[in-house]
Amino acid sequence: MKIISRNLLLFALLLFIYTVLFRFGLGSLLSAEKWAWVIVIAVVYGAMIFVTAWMTGKRDGINNFLFDAGFRWNLTTFIVWGAASEAWFLLGFQSAHETIRVVHITLLIWSGFLILHFILFLILRKRTIKGVHKTNIFE
Amino acid sequence: MKTDDALHQELLSAWEETYKKGQLTLWIFLSLKEGPKYVSGLQESIERFSKGTIHAEEQSLYRTLRKFYHLKMVDFSAGKGHKGPDRKYYHLTPLGASLLQSFVERNIQLFFEEPLQELLLN
């Protein structure tokens, strides 16, 4: 039972790659003023994160019985997305249409949801024994 | 329209399917009560005890035993394999043994007492 499992690390790596590709695509499309494509690329990026999180989370659940109510995946997404986005700006890769303020506001709002998610996890953790959900102990 | 025999068989299968869910723990515990076992041995004894009605996949057993080990219900010691590397021989811990005893007393023994025994056998 691992908090940082192989599936979580795989998710973090793929998310980092997606984010770099998304940032690159977003910057290019904004510079070219192709606004409609910005929505398309954002939806594709979000969908890819969702599918990857769902698949790696499901695989993780097979061998890792630690109950976390999905919090580890949410926190990982927050950290990787935040770090990659901050680095993108620090390295000066952003387009003229992007400001770091958007990243900061997103992280601020997201951190609120992250806290709510953590509280939910703490509430649901009462239904576990040594980190294993009671309904998942006996098969 | 289904014949009574076909309906009987279908209902029985559906009932057994539901009944078997949640049974694996009991079969694992009973097999380990017999003595320490490695995973393949455990798989064989579950099939033997249940007269072939319960089949547990090896992966499923490994997963379950890891969980039980984490919850301190089973422990293991290394033992000789037939030809290959050492195997993990699982056994019940005192917690696992007392848990099995309590479960049997509360949920199984009543089937051996009147009037249930008579109802079951007649």
Short mmCIF file of all heavy atoms in Angstrom, two decimals, chain B residues 32-94:
data_model
loop_
_atom_site.label_atom_id
_atom_site.label_comp_id
_atom_site.label_asym_id
_atom_site.label_seq_id
_atom_site.Cartn_x
_atom_site.Cartn_y
_atom_site.Cartn_z
N LEU B 32 -6.50 -21.57 5.94
CA LEU B 32 -5.30 -21.23 6.72
C LEU B 32 -5.38 -21.80 8.13
O LEU B 32 -4.36 -22.05 8.77
CB LEU B 32 -5.09 -19.71 6.77
CG LEU B 32 -4.72 -19.04 5.44
CD1 LEU B 32 -4.51 -17.55 5.62
CD2 LEU B 32 -3.46 -19.66 4.84
N LYS B 33 -6.61 -22.01 8.61
CA LYS B 33 -6.76 -22.63 9.94
C LYS B 33 -6.23 -24.07 9.90
O LYS B 33 -5.69 -24.58 10.88
CB LYS B 33 -8.22 -22.61 10.37
CG LYS B 33 -8.41 -22.99 11.83
CD LYS B 33 -9.85 -22.99 12.26
CE LYS B 33 -9.95 -23.43 13.72
NZ LYS B 33 -11.33 -23.54 14.17
N GLU B 34 -6.38 -24.69 8.72
CA GLU B 34 -5.88 -26.06 8.55
C GLU B 34 -4.36 -26.10 8.70
O GLU B 34 -3.80 -27.10 9.15
CB GLU B 34 -6.30 -26.58 7.18
CG GLU B 34 -6.06 -28.06 7.00
CD GLU B 34 -6.32 -28.50 5.56
OE1 GLU B 34 -5.95 -27.75 4.63
OE2 GLU B 34 -6.86 -29.58 5.36
N GLY B 35 -3.71 -25.00 8.29
CA GLY B 35 -2.25 -24.93 8.39
C GLY B 35 -1.70 -23.88 7.43
O GLY B 35 -2.41 -23.43 6.53
N PRO B 36 -0.43 -23.47 7.63
CA PRO B 36 0.16 -22.46 6.74
C PRO B 36 0.18 -22.94 5.29
O PRO B 36 0.39 -24.13 5.04
CB PRO B 36 1.58 -22.30 7.26
CG PRO B 36 1.54 -22.81 8.65
CD PRO B 36 0.51 -23.90 8.67
N LYS B 37 -0.07 -22.01 4.38
CA LYS B 37 -0.11 -22.37 2.96
C LYS B 37 0.45 -21.27 2.08
O LYS B 37 0.31 -20.09 2.40
CB LYS B 37 -1.56 -22.63 2.53
CG LYS B 37 -2.12 -23.92 3.06
CD LYS B 37 -3.54 -24.16 2.62
CE LYS B 37 -4.04 -25.46 3.18
NZ LYS B 37 -4.15 -25.44 4.65
N TYR B 38 1.06 -21.66 0.97
CA TYR B 38 1.44 -20.67 -0.04
C TYR B 38 0.24 -20.48 -0.95
O TYR B 38 -0.74 -21.24 -0.86
CB TYR B 38 2.69 -21.11 -0.81
CG TYR B 38 2.60 -22.47 -1.44
CD1 TYR B 38 2.12 -22.63 -2.73
CD2 TYR B 38 2.98 -23.61 -0.73
CE1 TYR B 38 2.02 -23.88 -3.31
CE2 TYR B 38 2.88 -24.86 -1.30
CZ TYR B 38 2.40 -24.99 -2.59
OH TYR B 38 2.30 -26.23 -3.15
N VAL B 39 0.31 -19.50 -1.83
CA VAL B 39 -0.89 -19.10 -2.57
C VAL B 39 -1.50 -20.24 -3.40
O VAL B 39 -2.71 -20.46 -3.34
CB VAL B 39 -0.62 -17.84 -3.43
CG1 VAL B 39 -1.77 -17.57 -4.38
CG2 VAL B 39 -0.42 -16.64 -2.52
N SER B 40 -0.66 -20.98 -4.13
CA SER B 40 -1.21 -22.07 -4.94
C SER B 40 -1.84 -23.15 -4.06
O SER B 40 -2.89 -23.71 -4.40
CB SER B 40 -0.12 -22.71 -5.79
OG SER B 40 0.48 -21.74 -6.58
N GLY B 41 -1.20 -23.41 -2.92
CA GLY B 41 -1.74 -24.39 -1.98
C GLY B 41 -3.07 -23.94 -1.41
O GLY B 41 -4.00 -24.74 -1.23
N LEU B 42 -3.16 -22.67 -1.17
CA LEU B 42 -4.40 -22.08 -0.65
C LEU B 42 -5.52 -22.22 -1.68
O LEU B 42 -6.65 -22.60 -1.36
CB LEU B 42 -4.14 -20.60 -0.33
CG LEU B 42 -5.21 -19.81 0.38
CD1 LEU B 42 -5.54 -20.41 1.73
CD2 LEU B 42 -4.74 -18.37 0.58
N GLN B 43 -5.15 -21.94 -2.92
CA GLN B 43 -6.10 -22.05 -4.03
C GLN B 43 -6.64 -23.49 -4.13
O GLN B 43 -7.85 -23.69 -4.26
CB GLN B 43 -5.37 -21.67 -5.31
CG GLN B 43 -6.26 -21.34 -6.48
CD GLN B 43 -5.42 -20.94 -7.68
OE1 GLN B 43 -4.24 -21.29 -7.81
NE2 GLN B 43 -6.02 -20.19 -8.57
N GLU B 44 -5.73 -24.45 -4.01
CA GLU B 44 -6.13 -25.86 -4.09
C GLU B 44 -7.05 -26.26 -2.94
O GLU B 44 -8.04 -26.94 -3.13
CB GLU B 44 -4.87 -26.76 -4.06
CG GLU B 44 -4.14 -26.81 -5.38
CD GLU B 44 -2.72 -27.35 -5.23
OE1 GLU B 44 -2.43 -28.05 -4.23
OE2 GLU B 44 -1.90 -27.04 -6.11
N SER B 45 -6.67 -25.81 -1.72
CA SER B 45 -7.48 -26.22 -0.57
C SER B 45 -8.86 -25.56 -0.58
O SER B 45 -9.84 -26.17 -0.14
CB SER B 45 -6.75 -25.99 0.75
OG SER B 45 -6.57 -24.65 0.97
N ILE B 46 -8.95 -24.34 -1.11
CA ILE B 46 -10.27 -23.70 -1.21
C ILE B 46 -11.16 -24.50 -2.16
O ILE B 46 -12.33 -24.77 -1.87
CB ILE B 46 -10.13 -22.22 -1.69
CG1 ILE B 46 -9.54 -21.36 -0.58
CG2 ILE B 46 -11.47 -21.65 -2.12
CD1 ILE B 46 -9.17 -19.95 -0.98
N GLU B 47 -10.58 -24.93 -3.27
CA GLU B 47 -11.36 -25.73 -4.24
C GLU B 47 -11.75 -27.08 -3.63
O GLU B 47 -12.87 -27.55 -3.82
CB GLU B 47 -10.53 -25.95 -5.51
CG GLU B 47 -10.38 -24.66 -6.28
CD GLU B 47 -10.42 -24.86 -7.79
OE1 GLU B 47 -11.02 -25.85 -8.25
OE2 GLU B 47 -9.87 -24.02 -8.48
N ARG B 48 -10.81 -27.65 -2.86
CA ARG B 48 -11.07 -28.97 -2.24
C ARG B 48 -12.16 -28.84 -1.18
O ARG B 48 -13.12 -29.60 -1.18
CB ARG B 48 -9.76 -29.47 -1.62
CG ARG B 48 -9.86 -30.78 -0.84
CD ARG B 48 -8.47 -31.35 -0.56
NE ARG B 48 -7.54 -30.37 0.00
CZ ARG B 48 -7.42 -30.11 1.30
NH1 ARG B 48 -8.18 -30.73 2.18
NH2 ARG B 48 -6.53 -29.23 1.73
N PHE B 49 -12.01 -27.85 -0.29
CA PHE B 49 -13.00 -27.65 0.78
C PHE B 49 -14.40 -27.35 0.24
O PHE B 49 -15.39 -27.83 0.75
CB PHE B 49 -12.58 -26.50 1.70
CG PHE B 49 -11.52 -26.86 2.71
CD1 PHE B 49 -10.72 -25.88 3.25
CD2 PHE B 49 -11.33 -28.17 3.11
CE1 PHE B 49 -9.74 -26.19 4.18
CE2 PHE B 49 -10.35 -28.49 4.03
CZ PHE B 49 -9.55 -27.50 4.56
N SER B 50 -14.42 -26.52 -0.80
CA SER B 50 -15.72 -26.09 -1.32
C SER B 50 -16.26 -27.07 -2.37
O SER B 50 -17.27 -26.79 -3.01
CB SER B 50 -15.61 -24.69 -1.93
OG SER B 50 -14.81 -24.72 -3.09
N LYS B 51 -15.56 -28.18 -2.53
CA LYS B 51 -15.92 -29.21 -3.54
C LYS B 51 -16.06 -28.59 -4.92
O LYS B 51 -17.01 -28.89 -5.67
CB LYS B 51 -17.21 -29.93 -3.12
CG LYS B 51 -17.01 -30.72 -1.82
CD LYS B 51 -18.20 -31.56 -1.49
CE LYS B 51 -17.89 -32.41 -0.25
NZ LYS B 51 -19.03 -33.06 0.30
N GLY B 52 -15.16 -27.69 -5.21
CA GLY B 52 -15.10 -27.10 -6.56
C GLY B 52 -16.10 -25.98 -6.81
O GLY B 52 -16.17 -25.45 -7.91
N THR B 53 -16.89 -25.63 -5.79
CA THR B 53 -17.89 -24.57 -6.03
C THR B 53 -17.26 -23.17 -5.95
O THR B 53 -17.81 -22.22 -6.47
CB THR B 53 -19.06 -24.64 -5.03
OG1 THR B 53 -18.53 -24.47 -3.71
CG2 THR B 53 -19.80 -25.96 -5.12
N ILE B 54 -16.13 -23.06 -5.28
CA ILE B 54 -15.45 -21.76 -5.18
C ILE B 54 -14.11 -21.85 -5.89
O ILE B 54 -13.28 -22.71 -5.57
CB ILE B 54 -15.21 -21.35 -3.70
CG1 ILE B 54 -16.51 -21.31 -2.90
CG2 ILE B 54 -14.46 -20.00 -3.61
CD1 ILE B 54 -17.40 -20.13 -3.13
N HIS B 55 -13.93 -20.99 -6.86
CA HIS B 55 -12.63 -20.92 -7.54
C HIS B 55 -12.08 -19.51 -7.35
O HIS B 55 -12.74 -18.53 -7.70
CB HIS B 55 -12.78 -21.24 -9.03
CG HIS B 55 -11.51 -21.01 -9.79
ND1 HIS B 55 -10.43 -21.87 -9.68
CD2 HIS B 55 -11.14 -20.01 -10.62
CE1 HIS B 55 -9.45 -21.39 -10.43
NE2 HIS B 55 -9.85 -20.28 -11.01
N ALA B 56 -10.89 -19.43 -6.76
CA ALA B 56 -10.27 -18.11 -6.54
C ALA B 56 -9.07 -17.95 -7.47
O ALA B 56 -8.22 -18.83 -7.52
CB ALA B 56 -9.83 -17.99 -5.09
N GLU B 57 -9.05 -16.85 -8.20
CA GLU B 57 -7.91 -16.56 -9.07
C GLU B 57 -6.69 -16.28 -8.21
O GLU B 57 -6.82 -15.69 -7.13
CB GLU B 57 -8.21 -15.33 -9.94
CG GLU B 57 -9.36 -15.50 -10.92
CD GLU B 57 -9.06 -16.50 -12.03
OE1 GLU B 57 -7.86 -16.71 -12.33
OE2 GLU B 57 -10.01 -17.08 -12.55
N GLU B 58 -5.52 -16.66 -8.71
CA GLU B 58 -4.28 -16.47 -7.94
C GLU B 58 -4.04 -14.97 -7.64
O GLU B 58 -3.68 -14.61 -6.52
CB GLU B 58 -3.11 -17.05 -8.73
CG GLU B 58 -2.01 -17.59 -7.83
CD GLU B 58 -1.00 -18.42 -8.59
OE1 GLU B 58 -1.31 -19.59 -8.88
OE2 GLU B 58 0.08 -17.90 -8.89
N GLN B 59 -4.27 -14.14 -8.66
CA GLN B 59 -4.07 -12.70 -8.48
C GLN B 59 -4.99 -12.14 -7.39
O GLN B 59 -4.60 -11.29 -6.59
CB GLN B 59 -4.34 -11.96 -9.80
CG GLN B 59 -3.16 -11.95 -10.75
CD GLN B 59 -1.91 -11.33 -10.14
OE1 GLN B 59 -1.98 -10.29 -9.50
NE2 GLN B 59 -0.78 -11.99 -10.30
N SER B 60 -6.21 -12.64 -7.40
CA SER B 60 -7.20 -12.20 -6.42
C SER B 60 -6.77 -12.61 -5.01
O SER B 60 -6.91 -11.84 -4.04
CB SER B 60 -8.55 -12.81 -6.78
OG SER B 60 -9.47 -12.61 -5.76
N LEU B 61 -6.19 -13.82 -4.90
CA LEU B 61 -5.72 -14.29 -3.59
C LEU B 61 -4.53 -13.46 -3.11
O LEU B 61 -4.46 -13.08 -1.94
CB LEU B 61 -5.33 -15.77 -3.68
CG LEU B 61 -6.47 -16.77 -3.69
CD1 LEU B 61 -5.94 -18.17 -3.90
CD2 LEU B 61 -7.26 -16.70 -2.39
N TYR B 62 -3.60 -13.17 -4.02
CA TYR B 62 -2.44 -12.35 -3.64
C TYR B 62 -2.90 -10.99 -3.10
O TYR B 62 -2.42 -10.50 -2.08
CB TYR B 62 -1.53 -12.11 -4.86
CG TYR B 62 -0.50 -13.19 -5.06
CD1 TYR B 62 -0.50 -13.97 -6.20
CD2 TYR B 62 0.49 -13.41 -4.11
CE1 TYR B 62 0.45 -14.96 -6.40
CE2 TYR B 62 1.44 -14.40 -4.30
CZ TYR B 62 1.42 -15.17 -5.44
OH TYR B 62 2.36 -16.16 -5.62
N ARG B 63 -3.85 -10.39 -3.85
CA ARG B 63 -4.37 -9.07 -3.48
C ARG B 63 -5.03 -9.13 -2.09
O ARG B 63 -4.77 -8.30 -1.23
CB ARG B 63 -5.37 -8.64 -4.54
CG ARG B 63 -5.49 -7.16 -4.69
CD ARG B 63 -6.24 -6.75 -5.93
NE ARG B 63 -7.47 -7.46 -6.16
CZ ARG B 63 -7.73 -8.16 -7.25
NH1 ARG B 63 -6.83 -8.26 -8.20
NH2 ARG B 63 -8.88 -8.77 -7.41
N THR B 64 -5.85 -10.15 -1.90
CA THR B 64 -6.58 -10.29 -0.64
C THR B 64 -5.60 -10.54 0.51
O THR B 64 -5.74 -9.95 1.58
CB THR B 64 -7.60 -11.44 -0.74
OG1 THR B 64 -8.44 -11.18 -1.85
CG2 THR B 64 -8.45 -11.54 0.51
N LEU B 65 -4.61 -11.40 0.28
CA LEU B 65 -3.65 -11.71 1.35
C LEU B 65 -2.81 -10.49 1.71
O LEU B 65 -2.49 -10.28 2.88
CB LEU B 65 -2.75 -12.88 0.92
CG LEU B 65 -3.44 -14.25 0.90
CD1 LEU B 65 -2.59 -15.28 0.17
CD2 LEU B 65 -3.75 -14.73 2.31
N ARG B 66 -2.46 -9.69 0.70
CA ARG B 66 -1.70 -8.46 0.99
C ARG B 66 -2.51 -7.53 1.89
O ARG B 66 -2.00 -6.92 2.82
CB ARG B 66 -1.34 -7.74 -0.32
CG ARG B 66 -0.04 -8.19 -0.93
CD ARG B 66 0.69 -7.07 -1.64
NE ARG B 66 -0.15 -6.16 -2.36
CZ ARG B 66 -0.56 -6.33 -3.62
NH1 ARG B 66 -0.21 -7.42 -4.27
NH2 ARG B 66 -1.31 -5.43 -4.21
N LYS B 67 -3.80 -7.46 1.57
CA LYS B 67 -4.71 -6.61 2.36
C LYS B 67 -4.84 -7.15 3.79
O LYS B 67 -4.76 -6.40 4.76
CB LYS B 67 -6.06 -6.60 1.66
CG LYS B 67 -6.98 -5.51 2.07
CD LYS B 67 -8.05 -5.27 1.02
CE LYS B 67 -8.76 -6.52 0.61
NZ LYS B 67 -9.69 -6.33 -0.51
N PHE B 68 -5.02 -8.46 3.91
CA PHE B 68 -5.15 -9.09 5.23
C PHE B 68 -3.85 -8.95 6.03
O PHE B 68 -3.89 -8.80 7.25
CB PHE B 68 -5.52 -10.57 5.10
CG PHE B 68 -6.94 -10.80 4.62
CD1 PHE B 68 -7.39 -12.08 4.35
CD2 PHE B 68 -7.83 -9.75 4.46
CE1 PHE B 68 -8.69 -12.30 3.92
CE2 PHE B 68 -9.12 -9.95 4.02
CZ PHE B 68 -9.55 -11.24 3.75
N TYR B 69 -2.74 -9.00 5.32
CA TYR B 69 -1.45 -8.83 5.99
C TYR B 69 -1.34 -7.40 6.53
O TYR B 69 -0.93 -7.19 7.69
CB TYR B 69 -0.31 -9.12 5.00
CG TYR B 69 1.06 -8.81 5.54
CD1 TYR B 69 1.66 -9.63 6.49
CD2 TYR B 69 1.75 -7.67 5.13
CE1 TYR B 69 2.91 -9.34 7.00
CE2 TYR B 69 3.00 -7.37 5.64
CZ TYR B 69 3.58 -8.21 6.57
OH TYR B 69 4.81 -7.91 7.08
N HIS B 70 -1.75 -6.45 5.71
CA HIS B 70 -1.74 -5.04 6.14
C HIS B 70 -2.63 -4.83 7.37
O HIS B 70 -2.28 -4.04 8.26
CB HIS B 70 -2.22 -4.16 4.97
CG HIS B 70 -2.49 -2.74 5.37
ND1 HIS B 70 -1.49 -1.83 5.59
CD2 HIS B 70 -3.66 -2.09 5.61
CE1 HIS B 70 -2.02 -0.67 5.94
NE2 HIS B 70 -3.32 -0.79 5.96
N LEU B 71 -3.74 -5.55 7.42
CA LEU B 71 -4.68 -5.42 8.53
C LEU B 71 -4.37 -6.38 9.68
O LEU B 71 -5.17 -6.54 10.60
CB LEU B 71 -6.12 -5.64 8.02
CG LEU B 71 -6.63 -4.52 7.12
CD1 LEU B 71 -7.80 -4.97 6.28
CD2 LEU B 71 -7.00 -3.29 7.93
N LYS B 72 -3.20 -7.03 9.58
CA LYS B 72 -2.68 -7.90 10.65
C LYS B 72 -3.53 -9.14 10.92
O LYS B 72 -3.53 -9.69 12.01
CB LYS B 72 -2.47 -7.11 11.94
CG LYS B 72 -1.50 -5.95 11.79
CD LYS B 72 -1.25 -5.28 13.12
CE LYS B 72 -0.41 -4.03 13.01
NZ LYS B 72 0.90 -4.19 12.40
N MET B 73 -4.29 -9.58 9.91
CA MET B 73 -5.10 -10.79 10.09
C MET B 73 -4.33 -12.03 9.67
O MET B 73 -4.61 -13.13 10.14
CB MET B 73 -6.40 -10.68 9.29
CG MET B 73 -7.30 -9.57 9.79
SD MET B 73 -8.92 -9.60 9.02
CE MET B 73 -8.57 -8.86 7.44
N VAL B 74 -3.38 -11.85 8.75
CA VAL B 74 -2.50 -12.96 8.37
C VAL B 74 -1.05 -12.48 8.41
O VAL B 74 -0.78 -11.28 8.35
CB VAL B 74 -2.80 -13.53 6.94
CG1 VAL B 74 -4.22 -14.02 6.81
CG2 VAL B 74 -2.48 -12.52 5.86
N ASP B 75 -0.17 -13.45 8.51
CA ASP B 75 1.27 -13.16 8.45
C ASP B 75 1.89 -14.24 7.56
O ASP B 75 1.20 -15.19 7.17
CB ASP B 75 1.86 -13.19 9.86
CG ASP B 75 3.16 -12.39 9.95
OD1 ASP B 75 3.68 -11.98 8.88
OD2 ASP B 75 3.65 -12.19 11.06
N PHE B 76 3.14 -14.11 7.24
CA PHE B 76 3.76 -15.14 6.42
C PHE B 76 5.20 -15.37 6.85
O PHE B 76 5.81 -14.55 7.52
CB PHE B 76 3.71 -14.75 4.93
CG PHE B 76 4.47 -13.51 4.59
CD1 PHE B 76 5.84 -13.54 4.36
CD2 PHE B 76 3.82 -12.29 4.51
CE1 PHE B 76 6.54 -12.39 4.05
CE2 PHE B 76 4.51 -11.13 4.20
CZ PHE B 76 5.88 -11.19 3.97
N SER B 77 5.70 -16.54 6.46
CA SER B 77 7.11 -16.82 6.67
C SER B 77 7.62 -17.47 5.38
O SER B 77 6.85 -18.10 4.65
CB SER B 77 7.31 -17.73 7.87
OG SER B 77 6.42 -18.82 7.80
N ALA B 78 8.91 -17.30 5.11
CA ALA B 78 9.47 -17.86 3.89
C ALA B 78 9.70 -19.36 4.05
O ALA B 78 10.15 -19.82 5.10
CB ALA B 78 10.78 -17.16 3.55
N GLY B 79 9.33 -20.10 3.03
CA GLY B 79 9.53 -21.55 3.06
C GLY B 79 10.06 -22.01 1.73
O GLY B 79 10.04 -21.27 0.75
N LYS B 80 10.53 -23.24 1.70
CA LYS B 80 11.13 -23.79 0.47
C LYS B 80 10.07 -23.97 -0.62
O LYS B 80 8.99 -24.47 -0.37
CB LYS B 80 11.77 -25.15 0.76
CG LYS B 80 13.07 -25.02 1.55
CD LYS B 80 14.25 -24.94 0.59
CE LYS B 80 15.55 -24.71 1.35
NZ LYS B 80 16.34 -23.64 0.79
N GLY B 81 10.42 -23.57 -1.85
CA GLY B 81 9.57 -23.86 -3.00
C GLY B 81 9.94 -25.24 -3.52
O GLY B 81 10.94 -25.82 -3.09
N HIS B 82 9.13 -25.77 -4.45
CA HIS B 82 9.43 -27.11 -4.98
C HIS B 82 10.80 -27.14 -5.67
O HIS B 82 11.67 -27.92 -5.34
CB HIS B 82 8.34 -27.55 -5.95
CG HIS B 82 7.15 -28.13 -5.24
ND1 HIS B 82 7.27 -29.05 -4.25
CD2 HIS B 82 5.82 -27.88 -5.38
CE1 HIS B 82 6.07 -29.37 -3.79
NE2 HIS B 82 5.16 -28.67 -4.46
N LYS B 83 10.93 -26.29 -6.70
CA LYS B 83 12.21 -26.23 -7.41
C LYS B 83 12.70 -24.79 -7.50
O LYS B 83 13.89 -24.54 -7.57
CB LYS B 83 12.05 -26.81 -8.82
CG LYS B 83 11.95 -28.32 -8.82
CD LYS B 83 11.63 -28.84 -10.20
CE LYS B 83 11.38 -30.35 -10.15
NZ LYS B 83 10.87 -30.87 -11.41
N GLY B 84 11.78 -23.87 -7.51
CA GLY B 84 12.12 -22.46 -7.72
C GLY B 84 12.51 -21.76 -6.43
O GLY B 84 13.00 -22.39 -5.48
N PRO B 85 12.28 -20.45 -6.40
CA PRO B 85 12.65 -19.66 -5.22
C PRO B 85 11.75 -19.94 -4.02
O PRO B 85 10.74 -20.64 -4.14
CB PRO B 85 12.45 -18.21 -5.70
CG PRO B 85 11.47 -18.31 -6.81
CD PRO B 85 11.65 -19.65 -7.44
N ASP B 86 12.14 -19.36 -2.86
CA ASP B 86 11.33 -19.55 -1.64
C ASP B 86 9.93 -18.99 -1.83
O ASP B 86 9.71 -18.05 -2.57
CB ASP B 86 12.01 -18.82 -0.46
CG ASP B 86 13.19 -19.62 0.06
OD1 ASP B 86 13.45 -20.70 -0.49
OD2 ASP B 86 13.84 -19.14 1.01
N ARG B 87 9.00 -19.61 -1.10
CA ARG B 87 7.61 -19.15 -1.19
C ARG B 87 7.21 -18.52 0.14
O ARG B 87 7.78 -18.83 1.18
CB ARG B 87 6.68 -20.34 -1.43
CG ARG B 87 6.75 -20.90 -2.80
CD ARG B 87 6.04 -22.24 -2.80
NE ARG B 87 5.72 -22.65 -4.14
CZ ARG B 87 5.38 -23.88 -4.47
NH1 ARG B 87 5.30 -24.80 -3.55
NH2 ARG B 87 5.08 -24.20 -5.71
N LYS B 88 6.16 -17.69 0.03
CA LYS B 88 5.59 -17.12 1.25
C LYS B 88 4.52 -18.08 1.74
O LYS B 88 3.54 -18.33 1.04
CB LYS B 88 4.95 -15.76 0.95
CG LYS B 88 5.93 -14.63 0.81
CD LYS B 88 5.20 -13.33 0.51
CE LYS B 88 6.17 -12.18 0.36
NZ LYS B 88 5.51 -10.94 -0.05
N TYR B 89 4.71 -18.58 2.95
CA TYR B 89 3.69 -19.44 3.56
C TYR B 89 2.86 -18.58 4.52
O TYR B 89 3.39 -18.08 5.52
CB TYR B 89 4.35 -20.61 4.30
CG TYR B 89 4.78 -21.72 3.38
CD1 TYR B 89 5.96 -21.62 2.65
CD2 TYR B 89 3.99 -22.85 3.22
CE1 TYR B 89 6.34 -22.62 1.79
CE2 TYR B 89 4.37 -23.87 2.36
CZ TYR B 89 5.55 -23.75 1.64
OH TYR B 89 5.92 -24.74 0.78
N TYR B 90 1.60 -18.44 4.17
CA TYR B 90 0.71 -17.59 4.98
C TYR B 90 0.07 -18.37 6.12
O TYR B 90 -0.22 -19.56 5.97
CB TYR B 90 -0.39 -16.99 4.10
CG TYR B 90 0.13 -15.93 3.15
CD1 TYR B 90 0.57 -16.28 1.87
CD2 TYR B 90 0.21 -14.61 3.54
CE1 TYR B 90 1.06 -15.32 1.00
CE2 TYR B 90 0.70 -13.64 2.68
CZ TYR B 90 1.12 -14.00 1.42
OH TYR B 90 1.62 -13.05 0.57
N HIS B 91 -0.12 -17.70 7.23
CA HIS B 91 -0.84 -18.31 8.36
C HIS B 91 -1.69 -17.25 9.04
O HIS B 91 -1.44 -16.04 8.88
CB HIS B 91 0.14 -18.95 9.34
CG HIS B 91 1.12 -17.98 9.93
ND1 HIS B 91 2.37 -17.77 9.39
CD2 HIS B 91 1.02 -17.13 10.98
CE1 HIS B 91 3.00 -16.84 10.11
NE2 HIS B 91 2.20 -16.44 11.08
N LEU B 92 -2.67 -17.71 9.82
CA LEU B 92 -3.53 -16.76 10.55
C LEU B 92 -2.77 -16.21 11.75
O LEU B 92 -2.06 -16.96 12.44
CB LEU B 92 -4.79 -17.46 11.05
CG LEU B 92 -5.85 -17.83 10.01
CD1 LEU B 92 -6.99 -18.60 10.70
CD2 LEU B 92 -6.40 -16.59 9.32
N THR B 93 -2.92 -14.95 12.00
CA THR B 93 -2.36 -14.36 13.22
C THR B 93 -3.36 -14.62 14.36
O THR B 93 -4.50 -15.03 14.09
CB THR B 93 -2.19 -12.84 13.06
OG1 THR B 93 -3.49 -12.30 12.82
CG2 THR B 93 -1.25 -12.48 11.92
N PRO B 94 -2.99 -14.38 15.59
CA PRO B 94 -3.99 -14.53 16.68
C PRO B 94 -5.24 -13.68 16.42
O PRO B 94 -6.36 -14.13 16.70
CB PRO B 94 -3.23 -14.03 17.92
CG PRO B 94 -1.80 -14.33 17.61
CD PRO B 94 -1.65 -14.09 16.14
#
